[in-house]
Amino acid sequence: MAVRTKVGGGARQPRGTRVRGSQRPAKLPPGIASVLAVLSSSAVVLDSADRVLRASAAARAFGIVKGERLMVSELLALARQVRRDGEIRETEIEVPVPRFGGRTTSFAVRVAPLSGAVGGGGLVLVLAEDQTESRRVEEVRRDFVANVSHELKTPVGALALLAETIEDAADDAEAVRRFAGRMRQEAARLTFLVQDLITLNRIQAAEPIPDPRPVEVDAVVAEALDRCRMKANARGITLTSAGIRGAAVLGAEDLLVTALRNLLENAVVYSPERTKVVVNVATPGDGGVEISVTDQGIGIPERDLERIFERFYRVDPARSRATGGTGLGLAIVKHVMAAHGGRVIVRSAEGQGSTFTLWVPLRQEAVQ
Ligand code: ADP
Protein backbone atom coordinates (compact mmCIF):
# COMPACT_ATOMS: atom_id res chain seq x y z
CA MET A 1 0.00 0.00 0.00
CA ALA A 2 1.37 3.39 -0.88
CA VAL A 3 1.78 5.51 2.20
CA ARG A 4 1.99 9.27 2.12
CA THR A 5 4.67 10.38 4.50
CA LYS A 6 5.66 13.89 5.38
CA VAL A 7 9.34 14.65 5.46
CA GLY A 8 10.87 16.32 8.51
CA GLY A 9 9.31 14.44 11.43
CA GLY A 10 5.80 15.77 10.95
CA ALA A 11 6.86 19.38 10.62
CA ARG A 12 4.90 21.41 8.08
CA GLN A 13 6.70 21.25 4.76
CA PRO A 14 6.35 23.33 1.64
CA ARG A 15 4.30 21.76 -1.15
CA GLY A 16 6.10 19.19 -3.19
CA THR A 17 8.32 17.83 -0.46
CA ARG A 18 6.14 14.82 0.36
CA VAL A 19 7.54 11.44 -0.60
CA ARG A 20 5.63 8.36 -1.51
CA GLY A 21 6.88 4.84 -0.87
CA SER A 22 7.28 2.30 1.83
CA GLN A 23 10.98 2.84 2.43
CA ARG A 24 12.06 5.09 5.29
CA PRO A 25 12.30 8.57 3.83
CA ALA A 26 15.67 10.30 3.88
CA LYS A 27 16.02 13.48 5.84
CA LEU A 28 18.06 16.50 4.91
CA PRO A 29 21.34 16.81 6.80
CA PRO A 30 21.02 19.43 9.56
CA GLY A 31 21.35 23.01 8.36
CA ILE A 32 20.93 22.21 4.66
CA ALA A 33 17.31 23.40 4.55
CA SER A 34 18.24 26.84 5.89
CA VAL A 35 21.15 27.12 3.44
CA LEU A 36 18.87 26.21 0.53
CA ALA A 37 16.28 28.74 1.70
CA VAL A 38 18.68 31.67 1.25
CA LEU A 39 20.09 30.58 -2.13
CA SER A 40 18.86 32.69 -5.01
CA SER A 41 19.78 30.00 -7.53
CA SER A 42 17.64 26.98 -8.28
CA ALA A 43 18.48 24.31 -5.74
CA VAL A 44 17.01 20.82 -5.61
CA VAL A 45 17.72 17.89 -3.31
CA LEU A 46 16.79 14.47 -4.69
CA ASP A 47 16.40 11.37 -2.56
CA SER A 48 17.66 7.92 -3.50
CA ALA A 49 14.51 7.27 -5.55
CA ASP A 50 14.91 10.51 -7.59
CA ARG A 51 12.09 12.21 -5.69
CA VAL A 52 12.41 15.87 -4.84
CA LEU A 53 13.04 16.20 -1.12
CA ARG A 54 13.49 19.94 -1.19
CA ALA A 55 13.42 22.57 -3.93
CA SER A 56 14.01 26.31 -3.79
CA ALA A 57 11.37 28.72 -5.00
CA ALA A 58 13.49 29.53 -8.06
CA ALA A 59 13.64 25.86 -9.10
CA ARG A 60 9.85 25.74 -9.09
CA ALA A 61 9.44 29.12 -10.73
CA PHE A 62 11.69 28.07 -13.63
CA GLY A 63 9.72 24.83 -13.99
CA ILE A 64 12.76 22.68 -13.19
CA VAL A 65 10.70 21.03 -10.45
CA LYS A 66 7.00 20.18 -10.47
CA GLY A 67 5.46 18.60 -7.39
CA GLU A 68 8.05 16.06 -6.32
CA ARG A 69 9.52 15.50 -9.77
CA LEU A 70 12.60 16.88 -11.42
CA MET A 71 11.33 17.89 -14.86
CA VAL A 72 14.64 18.10 -16.79
CA SER A 73 15.72 14.67 -17.99
CA GLU A 74 19.35 15.75 -18.47
CA LEU A 75 19.53 16.76 -14.82
CA LEU A 76 17.97 13.50 -13.72
CA ALA A 77 20.55 11.53 -15.72
CA LEU A 78 23.35 13.58 -14.16
CA ALA A 79 21.96 13.08 -10.67
CA ARG A 80 21.93 9.31 -11.19
CA GLN A 81 25.55 9.31 -12.39
CA VAL A 82 26.58 11.37 -9.37
CA ARG A 83 24.74 9.05 -7.00
CA ARG A 84 26.49 6.07 -8.60
CA ASP A 85 30.10 7.26 -8.49
CA GLY A 86 30.02 10.13 -5.98
CA GLU A 87 31.77 12.51 -8.42
CA ILE A 88 30.70 16.15 -8.60
CA ARG A 89 29.61 17.15 -12.10
CA GLU A 90 29.25 20.53 -13.82
CA THR A 91 27.58 21.37 -17.08
CA GLU A 92 25.49 23.94 -18.93
CA ILE A 93 21.96 23.15 -20.03
CA GLU A 94 19.24 24.93 -21.96
CA VAL A 95 15.83 24.65 -20.33
CA PRO A 96 12.54 25.85 -21.85
CA VAL A 97 10.98 28.04 -19.15
CA PRO A 98 7.15 27.89 -19.15
CA ARG A 99 6.73 31.36 -17.57
CA PHE A 100 8.88 32.85 -20.39
CA GLY A 101 6.49 31.38 -22.95
CA GLY A 102 8.72 28.32 -23.39
CA ARG A 103 11.81 30.35 -24.38
CA THR A 104 14.97 28.53 -23.38
CA THR A 105 17.16 29.83 -20.59
CA SER A 106 20.71 28.74 -20.07
CA PHE A 107 21.72 27.36 -16.66
CA ALA A 108 25.16 26.61 -15.26
CA VAL A 109 24.60 23.39 -13.33
CA ARG A 110 26.52 21.71 -10.52
CA VAL A 111 25.40 18.31 -9.24
CA ALA A 112 26.95 16.89 -6.07
CA PRO A 113 26.33 14.03 -3.62
CA LEU A 114 24.97 15.25 -0.31
CA SER A 115 26.72 13.41 2.47
CA GLY A 116 25.54 13.18 6.08
CA ALA A 117 21.90 12.44 5.30
CA VAL A 118 19.97 10.89 8.17
CA GLY A 119 17.87 7.83 7.39
CA GLY A 120 19.38 6.70 4.12
CA GLY A 121 22.02 8.03 1.74
CA GLY A 122 21.80 8.61 -1.96
CA LEU A 123 20.82 12.26 -1.62
CA VAL A 124 21.96 14.45 -4.49
CA LEU A 125 22.09 18.24 -4.62
CA VAL A 126 21.41 19.98 -7.92
CA LEU A 127 22.31 23.68 -8.19
CA ALA A 128 21.32 25.54 -11.36
CA GLU A 129 22.38 29.17 -11.88
CA ASP A 130 20.43 31.25 -14.41
CA GLN A 131 22.99 32.58 -16.90
CA THR A 132 20.76 35.21 -18.52
CA GLU A 133 22.27 38.19 -16.67
CA SER A 134 25.90 37.13 -17.01
CA ARG A 135 25.32 36.40 -20.72
CA ARG A 136 23.80 39.87 -21.13
CA VAL A 137 26.75 41.53 -19.36
CA GLU A 138 29.18 39.57 -21.53
CA GLU A 139 27.26 40.64 -24.66
CA VAL A 140 27.33 44.31 -23.59
CA ARG A 141 31.08 44.04 -22.98
CA ARG A 142 31.67 42.43 -26.38
CA ASP A 143 29.53 45.09 -28.11
CA PHE A 144 31.45 47.81 -26.31
CA VAL A 145 34.85 46.46 -27.38
CA ALA A 146 33.56 46.10 -30.96
CA ASN A 147 32.23 49.69 -30.90
CA VAL A 148 35.45 51.13 -29.47
CA SER A 149 37.51 49.30 -32.11
CA HIS A 150 35.25 50.64 -34.82
CA GLU A 151 35.43 54.21 -33.45
CA LEU A 152 39.24 54.01 -33.26
CA LYS A 153 39.56 52.58 -36.76
CA THR A 154 38.10 55.66 -38.46
CA PRO A 155 40.57 58.31 -37.23
CA VAL A 156 43.52 55.92 -37.30
CA GLY A 157 42.73 55.00 -40.91
CA ALA A 158 42.38 58.68 -41.78
CA LEU A 159 45.76 59.46 -40.18
CA ALA A 160 47.50 56.72 -42.15
CA LEU A 161 45.96 57.96 -45.40
CA LEU A 162 46.86 61.59 -44.69
CA ALA A 163 50.46 60.65 -43.85
CA GLU A 164 50.70 58.87 -47.21
CA THR A 165 49.20 61.86 -49.01
CA ILE A 166 51.69 64.22 -47.34
CA GLU A 167 54.55 62.00 -48.46
CA ASP A 168 53.31 62.15 -52.06
CA ALA A 169 52.82 65.92 -51.91
CA ALA A 170 56.15 66.64 -50.18
CA ASP A 171 57.08 69.29 -52.76
CA ASP A 172 53.80 71.18 -52.49
CA ALA A 173 54.11 73.29 -49.31
CA GLU A 174 50.49 74.45 -49.43
CA ALA A 175 49.12 70.90 -49.73
CA VAL A 176 51.40 69.70 -46.90
CA ARG A 177 50.07 72.46 -44.65
CA ARG A 178 46.46 71.59 -45.50
CA PHE A 179 46.87 67.85 -44.90
CA ALA A 180 48.85 68.47 -41.71
CA GLY A 181 45.87 70.49 -40.44
CA ARG A 182 43.57 67.56 -41.23
CA MET A 183 45.96 65.24 -39.39
CA ARG A 184 45.76 67.49 -36.35
CA GLN A 185 41.94 67.28 -36.49
CA GLU A 186 41.99 63.48 -36.61
CA ALA A 187 44.52 63.36 -33.77
CA ALA A 188 42.23 65.65 -31.73
CA ARG A 189 39.29 63.32 -32.44
CA LEU A 190 41.34 60.39 -31.14
CA THR A 191 42.30 62.39 -28.04
CA PHE A 192 38.64 63.24 -27.28
CA LEU A 193 37.64 59.63 -27.69
CA VAL A 194 40.38 58.36 -25.40
CA GLN A 195 39.63 61.10 -22.85
CA ASP A 196 35.92 60.20 -22.84
CA LEU A 197 36.71 56.50 -22.50
CA ILE A 198 38.96 57.24 -19.51
CA THR A 199 36.26 59.44 -17.93
CA LEU A 200 33.59 56.78 -18.46
CA ASN A 201 35.80 54.11 -16.98
CA ARG A 202 36.65 56.30 -14.00
CA ILE A 203 32.99 57.05 -13.24
CA GLN A 204 31.85 53.46 -13.62
CA ALA A 205 34.51 52.45 -11.09
CA ALA A 206 33.34 55.21 -8.71
CA GLU A 207 29.60 54.57 -8.40
CA PRO A 208 28.73 55.91 -5.86
CA ILE A 209 31.37 58.63 -5.42
CA PRO A 210 33.80 57.20 -2.84
CA ASP A 211 34.67 60.48 -1.11
CA PRO A 212 31.86 62.99 -1.76
CA ARG A 213 32.57 66.62 -0.85
CA PRO A 214 30.35 69.70 -0.64
CA VAL A 215 30.07 71.26 -4.09
CA GLU A 216 28.65 74.72 -4.85
CA VAL A 217 26.28 74.46 -7.80
CA ASP A 218 27.11 78.07 -8.79
CA ALA A 219 30.77 77.10 -9.19
CA VAL A 220 29.83 74.08 -11.35
CA VAL A 221 27.66 76.25 -13.60
CA ALA A 222 30.30 79.01 -13.91
CA GLU A 223 33.09 76.53 -14.74
CA ALA A 224 31.02 74.60 -17.31
CA LEU A 225 29.89 77.84 -19.00
CA ASP A 226 33.50 79.08 -19.13
CA ARG A 227 34.66 75.93 -20.85
CA CYS A 228 31.98 76.18 -23.54
CA ARG A 229 32.17 79.90 -24.15
CA MET A 230 34.65 79.73 -27.04
CA LYS A 231 32.70 77.08 -28.92
CA ALA A 232 29.49 79.06 -28.43
CA ASN A 233 31.07 82.37 -29.50
CA ALA A 234 32.42 80.75 -32.65
CA ARG A 235 28.82 79.95 -33.64
CA GLY A 236 27.30 83.22 -32.41
CA ILE A 237 25.34 81.33 -29.74
CA THR A 238 24.50 83.22 -26.52
CA LEU A 239 25.10 81.32 -23.30
CA THR A 240 23.22 82.60 -20.24
CA SER A 241 22.48 81.38 -16.75
CA ALA A 242 19.41 81.98 -14.60
CA GLY A 243 17.62 80.69 -11.51
CA ILE A 244 18.46 80.41 -7.84
CA ARG A 245 21.93 80.76 -6.37
CA GLY A 246 23.66 79.27 -3.34
CA ALA A 247 22.58 75.61 -3.74
CA ALA A 248 25.05 72.94 -2.69
CA VAL A 249 25.27 69.21 -3.32
CA LEU A 250 27.58 66.41 -2.21
CA GLY A 251 29.81 64.84 -4.80
CA ALA A 252 32.78 65.36 -7.11
CA GLU A 253 32.95 68.87 -8.58
CA ASP A 254 35.03 67.91 -11.63
CA LEU A 255 32.57 65.17 -12.61
CA LEU A 256 29.57 67.48 -12.22
CA VAL A 257 31.34 70.09 -14.36
CA THR A 258 32.06 67.41 -16.98
CA ALA A 259 28.37 66.37 -17.04
CA LEU A 260 27.08 69.92 -17.39
CA ARG A 261 29.75 70.80 -19.96
CA ASN A 262 28.73 67.79 -22.07
CA LEU A 263 25.12 69.01 -22.06
CA LEU A 264 26.20 72.56 -22.93
CA GLU A 265 28.48 71.41 -25.75
CA ASN A 266 25.67 69.33 -27.22
CA ALA A 267 23.28 72.27 -26.91
CA VAL A 268 25.79 74.39 -28.85
CA VAL A 269 26.66 71.91 -31.59
CA TYR A 270 23.10 70.71 -32.21
CA SER A 271 21.71 74.28 -32.55
CA PRO A 272 21.67 76.65 -35.50
CA GLU A 273 24.00 79.65 -35.34
CA ARG A 274 22.88 82.78 -33.46
CA THR A 275 20.47 81.00 -31.11
CA LYS A 276 20.33 80.92 -27.31
CA VAL A 277 21.32 78.32 -24.73
CA VAL A 278 20.15 78.84 -21.14
CA VAL A 279 21.31 77.11 -17.96
CA ASN A 280 18.72 77.30 -15.19
CA VAL A 281 19.09 76.25 -11.55
CA ALA A 282 15.99 75.47 -9.47
CA THR A 283 15.06 73.66 -6.25
CA PRO A 284 11.69 72.04 -6.94
CA GLY A 285 11.21 71.25 -3.23
CA ASP A 286 11.76 67.48 -3.49
CA GLY A 287 15.13 67.45 -1.76
CA GLY A 288 17.08 67.98 -4.96
CA VAL A 289 18.44 70.68 -7.21
CA GLU A 290 17.66 70.83 -10.92
CA ILE A 291 20.22 72.17 -13.35
CA SER A 292 18.68 72.37 -16.80
CA VAL A 293 20.13 73.24 -20.20
CA THR A 294 17.65 74.49 -22.79
CA ASP A 295 18.52 75.04 -26.44
CA GLN A 296 16.70 76.14 -29.57
CA GLY A 297 18.31 73.42 -31.64
CA ILE A 298 17.36 70.58 -33.95
CA GLY A 299 15.66 68.55 -31.20
CA ILE A 300 15.54 64.78 -30.90
CA PRO A 301 12.93 62.48 -32.49
CA GLU A 302 10.78 60.75 -29.88
CA ARG A 303 11.87 57.27 -30.98
CA ASP A 304 15.51 58.13 -30.15
CA LEU A 305 14.91 59.75 -26.75
CA GLU A 306 15.37 56.52 -24.81
CA ARG A 307 18.51 55.48 -26.64
CA ILE A 308 20.61 58.65 -26.68
CA PHE A 309 22.10 57.81 -23.27
CA GLU A 310 23.56 54.55 -24.62
CA ARG A 311 27.26 54.51 -25.39
CA PHE A 312 27.95 55.44 -29.03
CA TYR A 313 24.28 55.93 -29.89
CA ARG A 314 23.79 58.91 -32.21
CA VAL A 315 20.62 60.16 -33.88
CA ASP A 316 22.63 61.28 -36.90
CA PRO A 317 26.07 59.62 -36.90
CA ALA A 318 27.40 61.79 -39.76
CA ARG A 319 26.45 65.01 -37.97
CA SER A 320 27.91 63.82 -34.67
CA ARG A 321 31.24 62.94 -36.33
CA ALA A 322 31.33 66.19 -38.28
CA THR A 323 31.05 68.11 -35.02
CA GLY A 324 33.73 66.02 -33.32
CA GLY A 325 31.28 64.07 -31.15
CA THR A 326 32.46 60.85 -29.55
CA GLY A 327 28.97 59.44 -28.90
CA LEU A 328 29.92 59.06 -25.24
CA GLY A 329 28.89 62.47 -23.85
CA LEU A 330 25.42 61.52 -22.62
CA ALA A 331 26.55 58.09 -21.37
CA ILE A 332 29.04 59.99 -19.20
CA VAL A 333 26.26 62.33 -18.00
CA LYS A 334 24.06 59.35 -17.08
CA HIS A 335 26.84 57.68 -15.07
CA VAL A 336 27.84 60.92 -13.31
CA MET A 337 24.23 61.31 -12.21
CA ALA A 338 24.00 57.69 -11.04
CA ALA A 339 27.22 58.16 -9.06
CA HIS A 340 25.63 61.17 -7.32
CA GLY A 341 22.33 59.45 -6.57
CA GLY A 342 20.74 61.72 -9.17
CA ARG A 343 19.23 61.38 -12.64
CA VAL A 344 19.06 63.05 -16.02
CA ILE A 345 15.81 63.79 -17.81
CA VAL A 346 15.29 64.99 -21.37
CA ARG A 347 12.40 66.78 -23.01
CA SER A 348 12.67 67.48 -26.70
CA ALA A 349 10.67 68.08 -29.84
CA GLU A 350 12.12 67.74 -33.31
CA GLY A 351 12.92 71.13 -34.77
CA GLN A 352 12.01 72.97 -31.58
CA GLY A 353 14.91 72.38 -29.23
CA SER A 354 15.69 70.31 -26.17
CA THR A 355 15.91 70.62 -22.40
CA PHE A 356 18.21 68.29 -20.49
CA THR A 357 17.75 68.43 -16.71
CA LEU A 358 20.20 67.13 -14.13
CA TRP A 359 18.59 66.34 -10.77
CA VAL A 360 21.02 65.95 -7.86
CA PRO A 361 20.12 65.51 -4.15
CA LEU A 362 20.79 68.72 -2.20
CA ARG A 363 23.43 68.62 0.51
CA GLN A 364 21.49 67.93 3.74
CA GLU A 365 22.46 71.18 5.52
CA ALA A 366 21.31 73.11 2.48
CA VAL A 367 17.80 71.62 2.27
CA GLN A 368 15.34 74.41 3.06
P1 ADP B 1 27.77 62.97 -29.40
O1 ADP B 1 29.22 62.96 -29.14
O2 ADP B 1 27.40 62.28 -30.67
O3 ADP B 1 27.15 64.33 -29.26
P2 ADP B 1 26.26 62.29 -27.02
O4 ADP B 1 26.27 61.05 -26.20
O5 ADP B 1 26.65 63.56 -26.34
O6 ADP B 1 27.18 61.99 -28.26
O7 ADP B 1 24.81 62.46 -27.63
C1 ADP B 1 24.20 61.38 -28.30
C2 ADP B 1 23.31 61.86 -29.42
O8 ADP B 1 22.18 62.54 -28.87
C3 ADP B 1 23.96 62.86 -30.35
O9 ADP B 1 24.71 62.22 -31.37
C4 ADP B 1 22.76 63.62 -30.88
O10 ADP B 1 22.19 62.89 -31.96
C5 ADP B 1 21.77 63.60 -29.72
N1 ADP B 1 21.79 64.86 -28.93
C6 ADP B 1 22.40 65.06 -27.74
N2 ADP B 1 22.17 66.29 -27.27
C7 ADP B 1 21.38 66.91 -28.19
C8 ADP B 1 20.78 68.22 -28.28
N3 ADP B 1 20.94 69.14 -27.32
N4 ADP B 1 20.02 68.48 -29.38
C9 ADP B 1 19.84 67.54 -30.34
N5 ADP B 1 20.37 66.30 -30.30
C10 ADP B 1 21.14 65.99 -29.26
Side-chain angles (χ1 to χ4, degrees), residues 196 262-263 266-271 295 297-300 307-317 319-321 323-332 348 353-356:
D196 275 359
N262 286 355
L263 294 185
N266 281 348
V268 168
V269 298
Y270 297 111
S271 290
D295 64 50
I298 59 174
I300 300 158
R307 301 205 58 194
I308 52 173
F309 294 96
E310 291 173 19
R311 294 175 292 201
F312 298 119
Y313 188 84
R314 295 146 163 132
V315 177
D316 177 351
R319 178 167 182 145
S320 161
R321 293 215 172 81
T323 53
T326 61
L328 292 174
L330 290 180
I332 290 174
S348 186
S354 314
T355 297
F356 284 82

Side-chain angles (χ1 to χ4, degrees), residues 32-368:
I32 290 287
S34 39
V35 171
L36 295 187
V38 295
L39 283 181
S40 59
S41 49
S42 300
V44 184
V45 178
L46 293 177
D47 72 5
S48 55
D50 289 338
R51 285 171 301 210
V52 173
L53 202 54
R54 179 72 59 139
S56 69
R60 294 187 185 280
F62 280 121
I64 293 173
V65 168
K66 241 190 212 147
E68 59 187 28
R69 283 183 56 211
L70 188 60
M71 301 303 288
V72 184
S73 52
E74 276 169 279
L75 287 183
L76 206 53
L78 267 184
R80 285 174 184 158
Q81 285 174 16
V82 168
R83 191 181 295 117
R84 229 176 290 128
D85 60 19
E87 297 258 321
I88 296 174
R89 284 182 170 74
E90 283 181 17
T91 187
E92 279 206 12
I93 57 164
E94 298 284 330
V95 177
V97 177
R99 71 167 178 181
F100 298 157
R103 256 190 300 124
T104 61
T105 295
S106 164
F107 289 89
V109 176
R110 205 172 154 82
V111 185
L114 205 56
S115 55
V118 183
L123 295 194
V124 175
L125 173 66
V126 179
L127 286 173
E129 195 70 53
D130 177 13
Q131 298 284 81
T132 313
E133 182 57 17
S134 57
R135 288 262 169 98
R136 197 190 62 80
V137 169
E138 175 59 19
E139 207 170 293
V140 168
R141 195 194 64 80
R142 254 202 319 267
D143 276 3
F144 183 60
V145 172
N147 279 331
V148 170
S149 319
H150 178 77
E151 297 288 334
L152 287 171
K153 236 168 64 188
T154 316
V156 169
L159 277 173
L161 213 66
L162 284 163
E164 235 174 75
T165 316
I166 286 184
E167 235 168 31
D168 293 345
D171 301 331
D172 181 347
E174 171 50 31
V176 168
R177 247 193 308 276
R178 200 170 62 246
F179 291 129
R182 294 265 310 279
M183 282 183 90
R184 217 174 307 124
Q185 265 177 15
E186 294 300 336
R189 182 199 292 273
L190 268 178
T191 310
F192 294 146
L193 181 59
V194 171
Q195 269 169 357
D196 275 359
L197 284 170
I198 291 171
T199 308
L200 197 58
N201 194 39
R202 197 184 128 209
I203 305 167
Q204 282 175 326
E207 278 182 27
I209 304 285
D211 179 24
R213 293 173 184 277
V215 180
E216 306 287 337
V217 172
D218 299 340
V220 172
V221 172
E223 177 73 16
L225 282 171
D226 260 5
R227 298 218 201 149
C228 294
R229 192 92 51 201
M230 258 174 60
K231 227 179 199 167
N233 286 346
R235 313 202 58 227
I237 289 174
T238 324
L239 288 183
T240 52
S241 67
I244 63 134
R245 299 186 66 81
V249 297
L250 268 185
E253 181 165 339
D254 59 335
L255 291 180
L256 290 168
V257 170
T258 300
L260 186 58
R261 197 194 69 202
N262 286 355
L263 294 185
L264 281 168
E265 283 188 347
N266 281 348
V268 168
V269 298
Y270 297 111
S271 290
E273 294 188 352
R274 284 177 291 284
T275 52
K276 282 188 192 143
V277 171
V278 182
V279 182
N280 191 62
V281 181
T283 43
D286 56 1
V289 56
E290 282 182 354
I291 312 167
S292 57
V293 175
T294 302
D295 64 50
Q296 302 171 317
I298 59 174
I300 300 158
E302 201 178 334
R303 64 175 179 277
D304 295 304
L305 280 177
E306 276 202 0
R307 301 205 58 194
I308 52 173
F309 294 96
E310 291 173 19
R311 294 175 292 201
F312 298 119
Y313 188 84
R314 295 146 163 132
V315 177
D316 177 351
R319 178 167 182 145
S320 161
R321 293 215 172 81
T323 53
T326 61
L328 292 174
L330 290 180
I332 290 174
V333 173
K334 188 179 79 176
H335 283 286
V336 170
M337 284 304 99
H340 283 80
R343 57 181 179 267
V344 52
I345 306 152
V346 56
R347 272 190 297 117
S348 186
E350 240 181 314
Q352 290 172 35
S354 314
T355 297
F356 284 82
T357 303
L358 305 177
W359 183 96
V360 190
L362 277 167
R363 194 180 161 212
Q364 275 315 301
E365 294 90 287
V367 178
Q368 299 96 3

